[in-house]
């Protein structure tokens, strides 16, 4: 339907999961931008925006039905990640003198919410002005996290077609929380993936046919990140606790720089909320993306380990707005503690344009 703001909002049944749960898809359209969001995992399945000639194309990696996301859960493709995005070392943390042990799903560590994080839940949905709001309740003890958490994420389109994701959460007991969106971007445009039913191919170790989706990469695009420091990591991709200046290193994206491979690092944003945290530009199509956030960090992930099922290496890049990895075990990092009576509020805006 048409809302008073000019955003077109439509909902449809999208398919079912292996357990029979029904997944719905919400389509938002405004000022040249078309976004599709799934109730499964809060997934941004599709983002279509025009190039400098007005030709609209897909710029987010996605799959055509729920079976695809169940067959390929590891990339967290387009998903809303929680309770804790990124890693918690040793899959445990101490809060108010009590040790909480979490699900280990990456070696000895916890990553992206555990075995059944928010990316694998079916969210409730309701239409709101300019878009859709997803919500769920995460019960006390899920994946080891304390507290009964009530969380929502509103996906809306601003004037000009910018995608805004506004997160809110409350808890009935002290807990830690770190939410992000895990969309992979390729502003050159990606072809339609056709591997949603290819779980058997993946299990057999053969390459599934991916149409145009697996061709090319995003490494010719130009990136700027407003960050003068990163949090360096060890061999388990856990932060060392230090802050490393980017001067003279391959992490210096303070001026527009052509991407290369080999990034899975948290950048410490200079002024969260004060301006674009990151800007991505594709010289071929002219498409540009700006990321503005209230979060203190941004994880740049170039997806080097994609193996062609369903996308090839570096087919898209993730720009994950977040608090820092392993913050519950790093008192020198911004706190991720949420207590009863407080409300977690976080907003990230993805703006699209052409040059």
């Amino acid at each position: 339907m048409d809302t008073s703001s000019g955003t077109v909002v439509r909902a449809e049944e999208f398919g079912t999961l292996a357990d029979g749960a029904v997944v719905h898809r919400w389509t938002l359209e405004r000022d040249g931008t078309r976004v599709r969001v799934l109730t499964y995992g809060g997934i941004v399945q599709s983002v279509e925006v025009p190039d400098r000639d007005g030709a609209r194309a897909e710029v987010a990696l996605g799959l055509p039905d729920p079976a695809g996301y169940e067959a390929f859960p590891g990339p967290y493709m387009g998903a809303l990640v929680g309770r804790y995005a990124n890693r918690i070392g040793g899959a445990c943390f101490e809060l108010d003198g009590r040790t909480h042990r979490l699900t280990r799903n990456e070696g000895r560590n916890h990553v992206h919410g555990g075995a059944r994080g928010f990316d694998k839940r079916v969210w409730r949905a309701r239409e709101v002005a300019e878009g859709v709001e997803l919500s769920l309740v995460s019960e006390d003890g899920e994946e080891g996290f304390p507290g009964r958490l009530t969380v929502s994420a509103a996906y809306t389109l601003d004037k000009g077609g910018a995608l805004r994701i506004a997160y809110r959460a409350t808890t009935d007991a002290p807990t830690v929380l770190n939410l992000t969106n895990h969309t992979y971007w390729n502003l050159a445009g990606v072809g339609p993936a056709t591997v949603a039913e290819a779980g058997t191919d993946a299990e057999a170790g053969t390459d599934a046919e991916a149409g145009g989706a697996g061709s090319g990469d995003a490494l010719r695009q130009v990136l700027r990140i407003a960050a003068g420091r990163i949090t360096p990591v060890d061999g388990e991709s856990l932060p060392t606790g230090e802050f490393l200046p980017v001067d003279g290193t391959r992490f210096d994206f303070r001026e527009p720089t052509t991407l290369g491979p080999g990034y899975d690092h948290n950048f410490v944003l200079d002024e969260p909320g004060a301006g674009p945290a990151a800007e991505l530009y594709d010289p071929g199509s002219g498409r540009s993306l700006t990321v503005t956030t209230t979060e203190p960090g941004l994880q740049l992930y170039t997806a080097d380990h994609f193996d062609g099922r369903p996308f090839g290496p570096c087919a898209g890049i993730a720009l994950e707005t977040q608090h820092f990895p392993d913050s519950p075990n790093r008192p020198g990092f911004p706190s991720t503690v949420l207590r009863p009576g407080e409300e977690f509020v976080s907003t990230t805006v993805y703006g699209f344009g052409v040059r």
Side-chain angles (χ1 to χ4, degrees):
M1 62 173 286
D2 287 295
T3 71
S4 59
S5 68
T7 302
V8 176
V9 182
R10 299 187 299 274
E12 61 186 325
E13 189 171 314
F14 185 61
T16 58
L17 300 172
D19 65 2
V22 176
V23 177
H24 289 85
R25 177 169 70 178
W26 289 72
T27 299
L28 319 179
E29 192 163 2
R30 184 175 187 181
D31 295 338
T33 300
R34 180 187 294 144
V35 176
R36 293 185 173 96
V37 178
L38 306 183
T39 54
Y40 178 61
I43 289 169
V44 175
Q45 183 219 8
S46 170
V47 179
E48 297 172 80
V49 294
D51 65 9
R52 63 165 64 94
D53 297 320
R56 190 159 61 181
E58 180 64 68
V59 296
L61 304 190
L63 296 170
D65 65 27
Y69 291 99
E70 288 192 292
F72 300 99
Y76 302 90
M77 200 174 299
L80 195 168
V81 177
R83 280 192 193 191
Y84 202 95
N86 219 306
R87 295 166 177 86
I88 295 179
C92 69
F93 65 94
E94 185 177 298
L95 179 59
D96 296 341
R98 180 182 174 188
T99 298
H100 298 277
R101 301 194 181 281
L102 311 176
T103 303
R104 293 183 174 186
N105 63 322
E106 188 184 66
R108 68 181 192 93
N109 303 316
H110 177 95
V111 67
H112 285 339
R116 189 171 181 261
F118 291 174
D119 61 297
K120 298 176 185 68
R121 299 280 301 275
V122 177
W123 295 61
R124 295 184 300 274
R126 70 181 183 99
E127 185 172 339
V128 295
E130 304 175 28
V132 60
E133 181 186 75
L134 304 183
S135 61
L136 61 73
V137 174
S138 176
E139 297 294 347
D140 177 44
E142 284 188 4
E143 304 295 328
F145 288 98
R148 186 176 191 265
L149 188 79
T150 301
V151 59
S152 67
Y155 299 71
T156 58
L157 291 184
D158 293 346
K159 185 177 181 180
L163 171 62
R164 178 182 298 267
I165 305 180
Y167 309 91
R168 292 182 178 274
T170 57
T171 183
D172 68 355
T175 191
V176 295
L177 181 66
N178 187 25
L179 303 177
T180 195
N181 173 266
H182 211 292
T183 295
Y184 294 91
W185 303 97
N186 188 335
L187 299 182
V190 295
T194 57
V195 295
E197 67 284 350
T200 54
D201 291 318
E203 291 165 5
T206 59
D207 286 342
E209 175 60 36
S215 60
D217 60 50
L219 298 183
R220 290 181 293 277
Q221 291 165 50
V222 177
L223 178 65
R224 187 184 76 83
I225 302 177
R229 297 177 297 166
I230 65 164
T231 52
V233 294
D234 62 18
E236 294 181 289
S237 294
L238 290 169
T240 63
E242 303 166 290
F243 293 93
L244 174 70
V246 301
D247 305 75
T249 74
R250 67 188 184 94
F251 302 104
D252 193 349
F253 288 95
R254 290 174 296 180
E255 296 297 329
T257 303
T258 301
L259 269 168
Y263 293 95
D264 190 7
H265 297 82
N266 173 63
F267 286 73
V268 180
L269 298 177
D270 293 335
E271 296 182 86
E279 297 176 89
L280 187 65
Y281 171 63
D282 176 57
S285 67
R287 294 187 186 94
S288 64
L289 167 68
T290 60
V291 181
T292 305
T293 186
T294 57
E295 290 295 294
L298 182 142
Q299 185 89 3
L300 169 62
Y301 176 45
T302 49
D304 299 57
H305 304 299
F306 281 11
D307 63 0
R309 298 169 299 178
F311 295 97
C314 308
I317 67 162
L319 299 168
E320 306 160 55
T321 60
Q322 59 173 11
H323 270 61
F324 303 168
D326 204 29
S327 289
N329 295 314
R330 299 290 177 178
F333 286 0
S335 175
T336 55
V337 175
L338 180 67
R339 299 185 179 277
E342 300 175 344
E343 183 179 33
F344 172 89
V345 178
S346 176
T347 302
T348 295
V349 180
Y350 305 91
F352 307 98
V354 294
R355 301 180 193 171

